């Protein structure tokens, strides 16, 4: 009887080992943060088309996290809820400073994409004519705000806070439309598609086109950031992510109409409101979809960010960037690499 029991125990143990060996380990997740808008086109297109899911395969589950502001996405990354994110360069800079280097920019996403417009009955031809008027930006300290401060400075103007006579207010894009339509603000520097919407829907005038806002339109609007700890532990996954990002970027630029349709459909699904075809095409034409973060423009943003008193100092600026993996992929495609020193 003891011999039978021993044989049964051995068989049971063997069966348990076999079953354990056949059991699959749970898939790990890759959490991607993004905004449901045109400046995050690669994320929205990739989400709609399942490109990142295909790239990572069954071993990894892609989780998409949608945000409406840069600070909220940065906080989610600080909390360990986001691994990789599409975001504006200013929140990326701020996150890098606050975290003492726990966030890195590893690629670009879009350049350009904002216009300076004036209300219907306020037609001017020079930025200098904004003296004594009210100008709205989506958020203090964001990309459009810094662009406006730079424009005011090079045109000899100052904000009220700096002893000048231009009043700059913070206003969400939908609120800006309402305020401008009522005549409560005179001008606004806003990103697409809101700039085109102000023009098409309430008769706003273009004071500066998208390529006149900053260095002929060659400035960063959205970048890709990564949590440093995730990056150091998962370079193969980051490489696959960036490879897919490059492929999507190439596809969008080669097939813009198909890409715009899928992006707009996904934006409609996520926000409940699709853009009209006219707004979509016009807004998209003011963006440059790319992998290049334009380091020169980000460094200029950092200088203005510091000079305007948003931060006391920005230590080790070059450590904000890590293009090692991006440049490996670019070399494989015989494309120009990205330098930290522009």
């Amino acid at each position: 009887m003891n011999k039978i029991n021993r044989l049964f125990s051995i068989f049971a143990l063997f069966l348990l080992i076999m079953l354990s060996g056949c059991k699959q380990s749970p898939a790990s997740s890759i959490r991607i943060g993004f905004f449901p808008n045109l400046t995050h086109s690669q994320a929205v297109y990739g989400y709609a088309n399942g490109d990142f899911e295909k790239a990572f395969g069954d071993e990894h589950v892609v989780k998409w996290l949608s945000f409406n502001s840069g600070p909220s996405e940065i906080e989610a990354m600080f909390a360990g809820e986001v691994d990789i994110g599409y975001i504006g360069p200013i929140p990326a800079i701020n996150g890098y400073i606050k975290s003492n280097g726990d966030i890195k920019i590893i690629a670009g996403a879009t350049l350009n994409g904002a216009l300076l417009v004036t209300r219907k009955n306020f037609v001017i031809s020079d930025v200098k004519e904004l003296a004594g008027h009210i100008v709205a930006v989506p958020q203090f300290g964001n990309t459009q705000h810094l662009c406006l401060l730079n424009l005011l400075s090079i045109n000899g103007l100052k904000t009220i806070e700096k002893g000048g006579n231009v009043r700059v207010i913070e206003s969400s894009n939908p609120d800006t439309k309402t305020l401008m339509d009522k005549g409560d603000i005179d001008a606004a520097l806003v990103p697409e598609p809101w700039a085109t919407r102000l023009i098409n829907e309430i008769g706003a005038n273009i004071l500066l086109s998208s390529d006149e806002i900053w260095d002929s339109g060659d400035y960063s609007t959205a970048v890709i950031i990564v949590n440093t700890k995730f990056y150091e532990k998962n370079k193969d996954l980051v490489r696959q992510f960036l490879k897919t990002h490059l492929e999507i970027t190439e596809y969008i630029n080669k097939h813009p109409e198909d890409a715009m349709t899928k992006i707009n459909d996904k934006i409609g699904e996520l926000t409940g409101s699709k853009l009209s075809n006219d707004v979509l095409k016009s807004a998209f034409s003011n963006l440059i979809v790319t992998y290049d973060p334009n380091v020169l423009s980000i460094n200029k943003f950092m200088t203005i960010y510091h000079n305007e008193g948003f931060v006391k100092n920005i230590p080790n600026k070059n450590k904000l960037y890590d293009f090692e993996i991006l440049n490996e992929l670019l070399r494989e495609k015989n494309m120009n690499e990205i330098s930290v020193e522009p």
Side-chain angles (χ1 to χ4, degrees):
M1 189 71 178
N2 289 337
K3 184 177 181 181
I4 293 173
N5 285 338
R6 283 198 299 273
L7 288 172
F8 180 81
S9 298
I10 292 170
F11 174 77
L13 180 61
F14 176 77
L15 183 62
L16 180 63
I17 292 172
M18 288 293 291
L19 290 173
S20 297
C22 293
K23 185 179 180 181
Q24 294 183 343
S25 58
S28 63
S29 63
I30 299 165
R31 299 158 300 178
I32 304 174
F34 75 108
F35 294 7
N37 63 30
L38 296 181
T39 56
H40 294 197
S41 288
Q42 297 97 322
V44 179
Y45 181 88
Y47 189 3
N49 210 43
D51 289 343
F52 290 101
E53 286 81 355
K54 295 169 190 172
F56 290 123
D58 295 335
E59 294 182 0
H60 306 284
V61 176
V62 177
K63 293 185 177 180
W64 293 93
L65 294 95
S66 176
F67 296 91
N68 292 315
S69 72
S72 60
E73 183 174 340
I74 290 295
E75 289 302 320
M77 186 166 276
F78 286 166
E81 297 168 358
V82 172
D83 302 312
I84 301 174
Y86 288 77
I87 200 167
I90 307 306
I93 293 167
N94 203 31
Y96 168 77
I97 296 168
K98 285 185 175 181
S99 67
N100 294 315
D102 284 346
I103 286 173
K104 291 185 179 295
I105 294 175
I106 57 173
T110 55
L111 306 176
N112 209 331
L115 282 74
L116 179 58
V117 299
T118 62
R119 57 181 167 80
K120 185 176 181 179
N121 297 320
F122 182 50
V123 182
I124 58 176
S125 59
D126 197 309
V127 172
K128 294 181 176 65
E129 295 178 78
L130 290 175
H133 293 282
I134 304 171
V135 186
V137 294
Q139 187 176 35
F140 288 149
N142 82 337
T143 306
Q144 288 76 44
H145 187 208
L146 294 195
C147 285
L148 177 63
L149 294 176
N150 182 61
L151 283 169
L152 295 179
S153 176
I154 63 179
N155 281 279
L157 299 176
K158 294 180 181 179
T159 64
I160 290 174
E161 292 77 12
K162 295 289 184 178
N165 60 359
V166 179
R167 182 184 171 197
V168 178
I169 69 165
E170 181 181 49
S171 171
S172 69
N173 293 317
D175 287 345
T176 293
K177 180 185 173 185
T178 301
L179 291 171
M180 183 169 282
D181 196 27
K182 291 169 60 180
D184 291 339
I185 60 173
D186 303 302
L189 204 163
V190 290
E192 291 290 17
W194 283 97
T196 297
R197 288 192 63 182
L198 293 178
I199 295 163
N200 288 9
E201 296 173 16
I202 62 171
N205 310 288
I206 299 175
L207 176 55
L208 293 181
S209 61
S210 60
D211 59 358
E212 296 174 311
I213 295 295
W214 182 294
D215 288 350
S216 300
D218 192 15
Y219 64 93
S220 178
T221 305
V223 297
I224 297 174
I225 59 172
V226 66
N227 177 285
T228 302
K229 292 179 182 177
F230 178 85
Y231 175 76
E232 291 172 349
K233 293 179 180 178
N234 300 280
K235 287 196 173 183
D236 287 343
L237 294 181
V238 175
R239 191 180 198 280
Q240 190 60 57
F241 176 92
L242 287 177
K243 182 174 183 292
T244 306
H245 173 74
L246 286 174
E247 291 168 352
I248 295 173
T249 300
E250 185 177 13
Y251 183 85
I252 291 174
N253 285 314
K254 286 185 176 180
H255 308 278
E257 290 190 4
D258 175 69
M260 280 191 292
T261 298
K262 287 187 177 179
I263 290 167
N264 198 26
D265 287 344
K266 194 64 179 179
I267 289 174
E269 176 189 326
L270 295 170
T271 66
S273 177
K274 288 172 60 174
L275 300 171
S276 70
N277 288 334
D278 288 345
V279 170
L280 179 65
K281 289 181 180 179
S282 179
F284 208 80
S285 70
N286 289 322
L287 294 171
I288 299 172
V289 180
T290 183
Y291 55 85
D292 186 348
N294 194 314
V295 170
L296 179 61
S297 70
I298 298 174
N299 286 344
K300 285 184 178 180
F301 282 142
M302 281 195 270
T303 298
I304 297 174
Y305 201 61
H306 174 260
N307 291 345
E308 291 292 332
F310 290 105
V311 291
K312 291 183 179 179
N313 58 71
I314 305 175
N316 301 317
K317 290 182 180 180
N318 285 354
K319 290 188 177 181
L320 169 62
Y321 312 105
D322 192 324
F323 303 133
E324 177 187 357
I325 297 175
L326 176 63
N327 283 333
E328 286 177 5
L329 294 167
L330 293 175
R331 283 196 297 271
E332 291 175 7
K333 292 176 171 286
N334 295 316
M335 298 168 70
N336 293 332
E337 296 180 36
I338 305 299
S339 174
V340 172
E341 298 289 347

